[in-house]
Amino acid sequence: MTKAMFPGSFDPPTLGHINIIERSAKLYDKLYVVVADNIAKKCLFTAQERIKLIKDNFINHDNIEVLSYNGLTVDIAKELGVDVMIRGVRALADFGYEFELAMTNKQLLPGVETLFMPTDPHYFLLRSSAIKEMAAFGADISKMVPANVANELSKRVVNRNNL
Ligand code: ADP
């Protein structure tokens, strides 16, 4: 049985994330989506909220599990016994950072491979931080995030100090 994980902040999950999750789940028997619960990073949504925002988009997907962690990615990878770590890449700018991260993780945990999955061209420009900012200024973000995320973003009083 091959197991993979897709780690990230997902604050909030975008259609770009959802697309990577859907495609990865087809490649492996089990996919863990691991939401970073990092107290040092200020997030708009709590880890539990982010888990629910992702889960609600994958109700009928038996091989997808969504959970949070608050340590090193390699530690949770070891704990879950995954073979592969998936990372989505949008552009060259992402690649430099992602490549270094993959090198570091390989040193820390040689048994786990990193797979870079290029974004779907439709979602090339989607970035959680930019979407929160657009939402705070009242822009229409309904084509950038799943409907449940669009709802939550609009319900929440998103002001610039929250970002
Ligand atoms: P962000 O970079 O938007 O703050 P995360 O830390 O939540 O995102 O990213 C988790 C993973 O998802 C990373 O591998 C990131 O490169 C990838 N990702 C983020 N947005 C997209 C997108 N639009 N298309 C493909 N992958 C993405």
Side-chain angles (χ1 to χ4, degrees):
M1 170 158 163
T2 53
K3 297 197 269 184
M5 68 184 262
F6 179 41
S9 310
F10 308 106
D11 186 48
T14 69
L15 289 178
H17 293 128
I18 298 292
N19 175 261
I20 299 280
I21 296 170
E22 268 168 4
R23 288 159 63 202
S24 313
K26 288 186 191 147
L27 299 177
Y28 301 98
D29 298 314
K30 176 96 189 176
L31 177 71
Y32 295 100
V33 181
V34 179
V35 174
D37 186 7
N38 184 348
I39 35 168
K41 194 171 169 189
K42 206 175 159 225
C43 283
L44 180 61
F45 293 97
T46 66
Q48 285 314 310
E49 286 169 336
R50 284 175 275 149
I51 289 176
K52 184 166 165 39
L53 289 171
I54 298 169
K55 260 191 188 163
D56 287 351
N57 284 281
F58 294 102
I59 288 163
N60 295 317
H61 292 67
D62 296 340
N63 71 332
I64 299 175
E65 199 173 310
V66 192
L67 62 144
S68 68
Y69 84 106
N70 66 357
L72 279 179
T73 312
V74 287
D75 289 338
I76 184 79
K78 217 185 294 176
E79 211 172 288
L80 296 170
V82 299
D83 311 284
V84 175
M85 212 179 286
I86 313 267
R87 297 293 292 174
V89 278
R90 284 162 290 206
L92 205 57
D94 274 354
F95 189 75
Y97 169 75
E98 291 293 343
F99 190 78
E100 277 187 22
L101 199 62
M103 294 298 104
T104 309
N105 286 341
K106 190 74 181 167
Q107 271 189 341
L108 295 173
L109 192 59
V112 172
E113 299 294 350
T114 294
L115 183 112
F116 295 129
M117 187 171 284
T119 187
D120 181 291
H122 289 108
Y123 309 124
F124 179 62
L125 294 171
L126 301 187
R127 193 170 293 277
S128 301
S129 49
I131 288 172
K132 281 183 285 188
E133 198 167 338
M134 286 186 265
F137 285 105
D140 178 12
I141 43 88
S142 61
K143 294 199 169 60
M144 303 175 188
V145 293
N148 63 334
V149 173
N151 271 340
E152 285 308 314
L153 270 175
S154 67
K155 262 195 267 167
R156 197 161 292 220
V157 184
V158 187
N159 64 53
R160 291 175 74 190
N161 300 330
N162 267 341
L163 302 179

